[in-house]
């Protein structure tokens, strides 16, 4: 079977990087990967970089193929007018395009909607997916190539997840930048403070424990951490973060 990636942007390349020699196996069946697009020059670059087959999108037949839709959301209708046939599975990573809209434009036996994040380029994405249960195994197999996959129950939950995993890196970047700036303020050199901050985030991810347990294990009575947490809570950091996530989700429902 063929996995057709429509698009050749950053996320498409991230998925290709996760593949081994342009192919992979699922339950013993070999899947070959090809990239589809409208620019012949860009397709030639993809061929050279990843050593895989490519095809022009005009008149491209998706029948019987697993299609990964990796274009800009506004291009959905245009893509639907250029291709033909019925896919075996359609996996869309288009933000803000619910399953019902995908079904309206592109024919497929099964549909999956997915939301990776920018860490996909390092095979470290956390990707939320939803859709038809029968397509879940192959979607997980493919998207596990770029990190961890989390199944959610419906479109609305995927939008909620997007507010965390899609927009979250930007929120964490602000927090990380503030921590690094604080280090510089107290006297550390910028490069040292940045290195310590990056190490902090890496160490935190490795703990893999309940968040409250992590806090409680560091926060001793009348200690320095307790003083810092008191200050952060006094400044309303917890409420600001919660409000930011909620507003991000609300905005996604209006697009």
């Amino acid at each position: 079977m063929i996995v057709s990636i429509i698009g050749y942007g950053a996320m498409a390349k991230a998925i290709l990087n996760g593949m081994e020699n342009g192919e992979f196996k699922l339950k013993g069946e070999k899947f070959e990967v090809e990239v589809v697009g409208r620019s012949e020059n860009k397709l030639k670059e993809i061929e050279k970089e990843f050593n895989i087959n490519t095809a022009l999108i005009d008149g491209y037949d998706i029948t019987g193929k697993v299609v990964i839709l990796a274009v800009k959301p506004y291009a959905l209708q245009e893509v639907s007018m250029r291709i033909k046939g019925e896919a075996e599975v359609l996996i869309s990573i288009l933000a803000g395009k619910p399953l019902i809209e995908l079904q309206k434009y592109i024919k497929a036996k099964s549909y999956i909607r997915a939301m990776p994040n920018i860490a996909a380029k390092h095979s470290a994405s956390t990707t939320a997916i939803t859709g038809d249960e029968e397509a879940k195994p192959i979607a997980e197999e493919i998207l596990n190539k770029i990190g961890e996959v989390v199944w959610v129950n419906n479109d609305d939950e995927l939008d909620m997840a997007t507010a965390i995993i899609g927009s979250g890196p930007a929120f964490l970047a602000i927090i990380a930048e503030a921590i690094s700036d604080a280090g510089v303020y107290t006297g550390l050199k910028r490069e040292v403070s940045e290195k310590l901050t990056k190490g902090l985030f890496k160490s935190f991810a490795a703990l893999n424990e309940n968040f409250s347990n992590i806090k409680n294990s560091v926060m001793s009575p009348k200690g320095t951490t307790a003083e810092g947490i008191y200050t952060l809570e006094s400044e309303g950091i917890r409420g600001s973060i919660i409000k930011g996530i909620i507003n991000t989700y609300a905005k996604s429902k209006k697009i």
Side-chain angles (χ1 to χ4, degrees):
M1 186 176 288
I2 294 176
V3 175
S4 301
I5 302 176
I6 299 180
Y8 28 56
M11 199 58 68
K13 289 182 178 180
I15 294 171
L16 287 170
N17 278 322
M19 302 294 183
E20 298 177 1
N21 300 318
E23 62 182 39
F24 68 97
K25 290 184 178 180
L26 175 62
K27 295 182 180 179
E29 182 179 358
K30 186 173 76 171
F31 287 75
E32 296 182 358
V33 183
E34 66 181 12
V35 174
V36 181
R38 61 182 181 180
S39 170
E40 192 169 353
N41 289 335
K42 289 184 178 179
L43 290 174
K44 286 181 179 179
E45 291 175 3
I46 291 289
E47 286 179 8
K48 185 177 180 180
E49 183 175 355
F50 296 98
N51 191 30
I52 61 172
N53 294 327
T54 63
L56 290 169
I57 194 170
D58 287 327
Y60 183 76
D61 192 350
I62 62 174
T63 301
K65 299 172 182 176
V66 177
V67 175
I68 302 175
L69 196 57
V71 296
K72 298 295 184 183
Y74 63 77
L76 174 60
Q77 185 174 1
E78 179 188 348
V79 167
S80 71
M81 295 172 65
R82 290 174 178 263
I83 60 176
K84 63 181 182 180
E86 181 182 42
E88 188 70 21
V89 180
L90 177 69
I91 302 173
S92 169
I93 60 174
L94 276 60
K97 297 297 180 182
L99 292 166
I100 192 170
E101 190 168 355
L102 297 173
Q103 293 163 359
K104 174 183 176 182
Y105 285 106
I106 298 179
K107 292 182 180 179
K109 293 180 180 177
S110 300
Y111 295 84
I112 291 286
R113 185 182 169 200
M115 178 49 61
N117 64 26
I118 60 172
K121 60 185 178 182
H122 300 296
S123 297
S125 172
T126 298
T127 304
I129 67 171
T130 193
D132 295 316
E133 289 274 356
E134 62 267 26
K136 181 180 176 181
I138 190 168
E140 288 182 330
E141 176 72 18
I142 292 172
L143 295 169
N144 271 330
K145 303 293 184 181
I146 57 171
E148 182 181 0
V149 177
V150 178
W151 177 267
V152 296
N153 292 322
N154 50 51
D155 271 317
D156 197 37
E157 286 191 4
L158 190 111
D159 290 333
M160 297 174 194
T162 299
I164 296 175
I165 60 174
S167 302
F171 305 150
L172 293 181
I174 291 174
I175 294 171
E177 193 173 44
I179 292 172
S180 180
D181 285 347
V184 173
Y185 179 85
T186 58
L188 290 172
K189 292 182 179 179
R190 171 62 68 183
E191 60 270 23
V192 173
S193 190
E194 288 185 354
K195 187 173 183 178
L196 290 171
T197 303
K198 289 177 181 178
L200 165 65
F201 275 72
K202 185 177 180 180
S203 300
F204 179 81
L207 290 173
N208 195 27
E209 298 176 29
N210 177 277
F211 300 142
S212 292
N213 289 344
I214 294 173
K215 175 179 67 70
N216 293 340
S217 68
V218 181
M219 185 179 176
S220 55
K222 294 186 177 181
T224 55
T225 303
E227 182 66 28
I229 288 176
Y230 167 73
T231 303
L232 293 174
E233 294 286 15
S234 297
E235 294 295 327
I237 187 171
R238 189 188 298 261
S240 295
I241 292 172
I242 292 172
K243 188 175 181 180
I245 297 291
I246 292 172
N247 286 350
T248 299
Y249 162 67
K251 179 73 172 182
S252 74
K253 306 304 290 184
K254 297 177 181 178
I255 295 176

